[in-house]
Amino acid sequence: MEEAKKKSELQRPTWNEYFLNICNLIASRSTCLRRQVGAVIVKDKQILASGYNGAPTGIKHCDLVGCLREKLGVPSGQRHELCRALHAEQNAFLQAAKHGVSLKGASIYITTQPCSICAKMIINAGIKKVIIQGDYPDDLALEFLEEAGIEIEIIKL
């Protein structure tokens, strides 16, 4: 009986904290020299897919060849096409697609607010909620998500 009482007194993370902590661990795999981002897509408290920002399979990572955006002085949040990497959200979507997993009605946890390109993908994937830990200089993304009726929650760990 004493053992059961000890277990019930344990401090367990909330579900949001749990999935954001997983996002942070996933972000640690990123090879981006500017910003490490992790994403986890969840439905019914089950992980459907995950991703971090990094170069496509078979392409050299930025940590090996350098950052073109850095060399050109491109500010964060601009000229996404000049990057070797896919965003964490994009890699999570592609992982789900590769394995035939529907994202309709799911939530996405991201260590950083999505950019406008990823926001459009979130909308069309049928994701209903976005939980983010950090900001990103792209107000248009938030406008898109709000206009589409997607719930946005910001949690600082």
Side-chain angles (χ1 to χ4, degrees), residues 14 17 19 24-25 28 31 33 50 62 66 74 76 84 91 94 114 119 137 143 152 157:
T14 66
E17 291 168 339
F19 290 122
N24 282 295
L25 180 61
S28 71
T31 55
L33 300 173
S50 65
C62 300
V74 177
S76 185
R84 300 181 72 78
N91 273 324
L94 293 168
E143 290 176 28
I152 302 165
L157 293 184

Side-chain angles (χ1 to χ4, degrees), residues 10 13 27 45 49 76 81-82 89 96 102 116 118 121 140 152 157:
L10 292 175
K45 299 179 184 168
S76 185
E81 74 279 7
L82 294 176
E89 304 94 319
S102 171
S116 56
C118 289
M121 291 179 174
L140 186 59
I152 302 165
L157 293 184

Side-chain angles (χ1 to χ4, degrees), residues 30-92:
S30 171
T31 55
C32 180
L33 300 173
R34 295 177 107 183
R35 182 188 303 257
Q36 288 70 45
V37 181
V40 175
I41 303 174
V42 174
K43 187 171 183 180
D44 300 325
K45 299 179 184 168
Q46 299 293 310
I47 295 173
L48 302 178
S50 65
Y52 55 87
N53 54 328
T57 304
I59 303 294
K60 291 180 183 172
H61 288 276
C62 300
D63 62 344
L64 296 175
V65 298
C67 176
L68 178 59
R69 294 167 52 82
E70 200 65 34
K71 289 175 189 167
L72 296 174
V74 177
S76 185
Q78 297 178 20
R79 304 289 315 270
H80 301 288
E81 74 279 7
L82 294 176
C83 183
R84 300 181 72 78
L86 292 161
H87 288 185
E89 304 94 319
Q90 294 166 350
N91 273 324

